[in-house]
Amino acid sequence: MSFDEYYEYIVETENLTKVYKLGSISIKALSNVNLKVKTGEYVSIMGPSGSGKTTLFNMIGGLDRPTSGSVYISGSDISKLDAYELAWLRCRKIGYIFQTFNLLPTLTALENVELPMIFAGVPREKRLSKAKKLLEMVGLGDRLNHKPQELSGGQQQRVAIARALANDPSIVLADEPTGNLDLSTGLEIINMLRKLNKEKGVTIVTATHDLKMINVSDRIVWIRDGKIERIQERAQLSVIK
Amino acid sequence: MDAAVGEVKFSLKEAFYLSLEQFKLRFGKMLLAMATVTLSIIFVVTFSVYSYFFQNLSGEIGLERQTLSQWYYFVILAMVVAIVSISNSLLMSVMERTKEIGTLKCLGALDSHILLLFLIEASLIGLVGGIVGFLLGMIASFASLYAQFGDLAFFIFSNAYQTLNWFWMAMATSVFLCIVASLYPARRAANLRPAEALRYEL
């Protein structure tokens, strides 16, 4: 079993269920979710807040363990991985983008992009040149040595995108990537993600309730109360102007 | 599961750099904690200098050595205060940085890497506390001995090896105190679950 082999479905969930226990009551955040994401696809998971989007995001990203059911990344059941293997998976195979950007405030843009490559053991020279290239790609070639607080929200999110791509992951997971951005900056980020998806062939899975995302997605997964309500293919979608 | 995965790395150098940046950023917030370590190191240094002085010069000044025994009490008390205060500061630091720790784990950090970051940060506090505590301790003990015994006080500087010993002792004690104090906060940080850490809002 290897993560490098090509699989038609890069992410697969099988009867994925997550139950949170809050004192004596248990809340079913996800129940029997079966989802398949094709390699190279751009999938948006849409739903109101509290619908289980973020829980699904965490499960697919190996950040939380399911109560029952399985998540397969490139055909491997990630609930069977130990802590070390999970860390490796998060480092090499998955790139994360968050609503709140989550850059390290003490580090410059360049150092933030370098960080995942440090964990991947990339030598310093290679790391620097790659981080520079990625930041130039997202249009921040002149902001390499700025700290996050010296950058605007949109710029911070672009640094985060560069960081997510640092180790050439096969999947980029984005949790409400436009949630903290204004309309036009949000659109910029969405277009950038789409461009990456088209040009680099990275699979992108976003959890969002930003309707702007509909225009660029190959498929929309509507989720409500922890269940998949319906899945819409690109062809079924009318483009919102 | 075959050996499908590769390596996850985090060299001491990288960890040190990250901790140092964090230490610089939080320097102001850590001042109080550092002051308590400094204080206990001042006690430790003064205690040692006094013991040395009286042991060697008891004939000349005719003072009983036993009066020093109650110093132990102060030294230990100061150490306990220092440990509690540093522990508290680091716990605050862990809370404030919960999201950051979650992010690091997303990027591939292992629990042991997070542990390392906090241990290094604690050691840095220890180094600063040790240096400042040593200098202030030497000045304080010299000043008080000079006030009591005049020029005899210069005796404490007569042996460079002895002074160096005090310095190393001050540093070692200080770093040790800080590492002991950081064990609980660092473990807590390392054991944070990424999904919960990311959700955390201060």
Side-chain angles (χ1 to χ4, degrees):
Chain A
M1 211 184 289
S2 160
F3 286 104
D4 293 326
E5 281 170 43
Y6 179 84
Y7 281 85
E8 192 188 355
Y9 296 108
I10 192 148
V11 179
E12 257 188 275
T13 71
E14 201 180 83
N15 298 324
L16 190 64
T17 301
K18 178 70 180 179
V19 180
Y20 288 109
K21 284 215 163 66
L22 292 173
S24 57
I25 36 172
S26 45
I27 294 160
K28 223 172 196 181
L30 286 179
S31 64
N32 293 314
V33 172
N34 289 295
L35 177 68
K36 287 180 172 184
V37 178
K38 280 191 204 113
T39 305
E41 211 178 9
Y42 192 126
V43 174
S44 291
I45 302 165
M46 292 231 174
S49 40
S51 58
K53 290 192 303 285
T54 300
T55 310
L56 185 56
F57 171 90
N58 288 339
M59 297 295 156
I60 294 174
L63 302 175
D64 209 348
R65 292 193 187 273
T67 311
S68 67
S70 319
V71 177
Y72 297 90
I73 305 276
S74 300
S76 299
D77 185 350
I78 63 169
S79 56
K80 294 212 173 82
L81 302 182
D82 64 22
Y84 191 91
E85 292 167 323
L86 262 182
W88 180 85
L89 184 80
R90 290 180 200 137
C91 179
R92 296 298 194 87
K93 291 292 149 195
I94 305 174
Y96 302 85
I97 297 169
F98 305 97
Q99 178 175 7
T100 48
F101 323 132
N102 291 19
L103 300 175
L104 265 70
T106 51
L107 302 181
T108 63
L110 194 67
E111 289 164 341
N112 264 294
V113 179
E114 267 187 83
L115 207 52
M117 292 188 268
I118 290 178
F119 292 116
V122 179
R124 196 180 141 74
E125 291 302 310
K126 231 173 130 186
R127 223 159 65 201
L128 272 173
S129 69
K130 180 140 191 214
K132 258 187 215 152
K133 229 170 69 191
L134 284 167
L135 282 169
E136 277 160 17
M137 187 188 75
V138 297
L140 291 174
D142 54 342
R143 295 279 192 280
L144 299 179
N145 297 313
H146 288 239
K147 299 232 164 134
Q149 67 265 30
E150 297 158 357
L151 299 170
S152 72
Q155 288 171 332
Q156 287 188 51
Q157 196 60 301
R158 269 143 66 189
V159 177
I161 291 175
R163 182 179 67 181
L165 295 171
N167 288 327
D168 299 311
S170 13
I171 317 159
V172 168
L173 291 177
D175 189 9
E176 301 275 7
T178 57
N180 277 13
L181 301 173
D182 64 57
L183 209 71
S184 63
T185 325
L187 206 60
E188 228 175 80
I189 295 296
I190 289 172
N191 288 333
M192 187 170 281
L193 287 174
R194 181 56 176 174
K195 209 174 124 212
L196 289 170
N197 169 250
K198 283 245 164 97
E199 286 174 5
K200 292 200 156 198
V202 192
T203 309
I204 294 187
V205 180
T206 66
T208 185
H209 54 228
D210 186 345
L211 293 173
K212 295 196 290 297
M213 209 61 106
I214 292 178
N215 291 344
V216 299
S217 305
D218 294 324
R219 270 197 307 161
I220 314 277
V221 178
W222 296 91
I223 181 168
R224 182 177 283 273
D225 299 327
K227 289 183 188 119
I228 293 182
E229 204 175 38
R230 64 180 193 278
I231 298 180
Q232 288 179 300
E233 300 284 335
R234 175 108 200 108
Q236 299 169 260
L237 297 167
S238 52
V239 173
I240 300 169
K241 292 275 175 189
Chain B
M1 183 95 208
D2 298 340
V5 303
E7 272 186 294
V8 184
K9 288 182 185 169
F10 196 42
S11 75
L12 207 57
K13 201 178 117 202
E14 312 288 0
F16 184 80
Y17 176 71
L18 271 186
S19 298
L20 186 67
E21 287 302 306
Q22 197 63 48
F23 175 71
K24 281 195 247 166
L25 184 82
R26 298 184 60 85
F27 192 80
K29 288 182 186 169
M30 285 292 177
L31 272 179
L32 190 70
M34 269 187 268
T36 60
V37 197
T38 306
L39 191 70
S40 56
I41 298 308
I42 291 175
F43 274 121
V44 171
V45 170
T46 314
F47 176 68
S48 311
V49 172
Y50 264 55
S51 311
Y52 177 74
F53 184 81
F54 289 127
Q55 249 166 43
N56 287 283
L57 298 181
S58 54
E60 278 149 79
I61 52 183
L63 205 90
E64 296 285 334
R65 271 166 53 193
Q66 66 193 29
T67 51
L68 280 175
S69 63
Q70 56 186 319
W71 273 80
Y72 280 115
Y73 174 72
F74 286 108
V75 172
I76 288 171
L77 197 70
M79 283 183 177
V80 170
V81 171
I83 288 177
V84 170
S85 148
I86 295 161
S87 233
N88 183 46
S89 295
L90 285 172
L91 269 179
M92 287 280 286
S93 169
V94 171
M95 294 236 289
E96 281 174 35
R97 282 152 66 192
T98 300
K99 218 173 197 168
E100 233 174 87
I101 294 162
T103 308
L104 280 174
K105 288 194 165 181
C106 281
L107 302 182
L110 291 165
D111 293 2
S112 57
H113 298 153
I114 308 290
L115 199 72
L116 187 67
L117 281 178
F118 277 88
L119 289 184
I120 294 175
E121 204 182 319
S123 311
L124 288 171
I125 299 172
L127 288 181
V128 173
I131 292 172
V132 179
F134 169 74
L135 291 174
L136 292 181
M138 288 305 281
I139 293 170
S141 41
F142 175 74
S144 99
L145 287 173
Y146 189 80
Q148 292 174 64
F149 308 108
D151 286 345
L152 265 184
F154 282 106
F155 174 75
I156 63 168
F157 298 120
S158 62
N159 187 342
Y161 280 114
Q162 187 56 52
T163 314
L164 206 62
N165 271 345
W166 285 327
F167 176 72
W168 289 124
M169 184 202 59
M171 297 307 278
T173 312
S174 179
V175 171
F176 176 75
L177 282 180
C178 290
I179 287 187
V180 168
S182 75
L183 286 180
Y184 174 65
R187 269 191 65 85
R188 229 173 106 144
N191 292 341
L192 281 173
R193 303 240 300 279
E196 278 159 36
L198 286 170
R199 201 170 45 222
Y200 186 84
E201 294 287 342
L202 199 70

